[in-house]
Amino acid sequence: MNFRIGYGYDVHRLAEGEEFWLGGIKLDYHKGGVGHSDADVLIHVICDALLGAANLRDIGYHFSDQDPQYKGIDSKILLERTVALLRDKGYEIGNLDVTVGLQKPKINPLIPEMKSVLAKVMKISEDDLSLKATTTEKLGFVGREEGVDAHAVALIYKVGHHNDLDS
């Protein structure tokens, strides 16, 4: 098969006094994500979607939260390593579509910077990365500002794979 699709979902609790990393940039906000790494939920779902598409399990399998070497790690490093795993298996990224659920702060003005940072890390065109944000209309843990969640879908393709439909 030439094309493969992967899906990622992740959640991080928000807490007062924690740094808030999202999409590879630090947000200026009084709450931040709680996690073993920097808790960048947006990067984590991208990793899971890419790993899933390539049948390489998930982010926790490759970068365990039980392993002290990943404590506080910049998730951009995890993303870079994930893309390397993907390319080692002969895949390239077709495109990614990501949605972040967050009541506050509003991140729409920051999306261009996030796209720029993440596209550079993955060595893809910004046009191949769609980032969107939504609130949950004050419903659920996102609406109560207790956490942030994100969903991602990735399309990958095998490099140099011959497709009989092209003949």
Side-chain angles (χ1 to χ4, degrees):
M1 184 187 319
N2 196 13
F3 295 98
R4 297 179 66 116
I5 297 170
Y7 172 77
Y9 174 70
D10 196 22
V11 172
H12 280 280
R13 188 166 49 88
L14 293 175
E16 293 284 340
E18 296 286 337
E19 290 185 349
F20 198 172
W21 286 90
L22 192 66
I25 66 172
K26 187 177 173 186
L27 306 186
D28 183 19
Y29 197 60
H30 63 98
K31 288 183 179 179
V34 176
H36 186 71
S37 67
D38 64 6
D40 190 326
V41 70
L42 197 157
I43 289 181
H44 296 176
V45 295
I46 290 173
C47 290
D48 268 348
L50 292 171
L51 290 166
N55 195 22
L56 289 169
R57 300 195 58 172
D58 61 29
I59 192 171
Y61 176 79
H62 292 279
F63 315 109
S64 172
D65 64 2
Q66 302 302 305
D67 190 331
Q69 73 174 310
Y70 301 119
K71 179 70 178 153
I73 195 168
D74 181 338
S75 289
K76 292 186 292 295
I77 295 167
L78 304 181
L79 180 57
E80 189 174 59
R81 292 180 186 173
T82 296
V83 172
L85 288 168
L86 194 77
R87 291 186 174 136
D88 285 348
K89 199 167 174 184
Y91 289 104
E92 274 300 324
I93 299 167
N95 73 299
L96 291 149
D97 186 16
V98 184
T99 302
V100 175
L102 184 64
Q103 197 65 41
K104 286 182 187 173
K106 300 293 185 200
I107 63 166
N108 274 317
L110 303 172
I111 286 176
E113 182 182 357
M114 291 178 187
K115 284 182 67 163
S116 174
V117 167
L118 297 175
K120 283 183 182 106
V121 170
M122 293 184 282
K123 297 179 176 69
I124 64 172
S125 166
E126 287 184 37
D127 195 47
D128 294 331
L129 175 60
S130 169
L131 298 180
K132 304 176 303 297
T134 187
T135 68
T136 58
E137 302 297 329
K138 300 188 179 179
L139 298 173
F141 70 88
V142 171
R144 290 187 303 270
E145 300 177 43
E146 296 168 357
V148 54
D149 72 359
H151 299 262
V153 178
L155 177 70
I156 64 172
Y157 60 93
K158 199 75 152 177
V159 178
H161 179 83
H162 177 71
N163 185 340
D164 291 333
L165 297 175
D166 293 339
S167 313

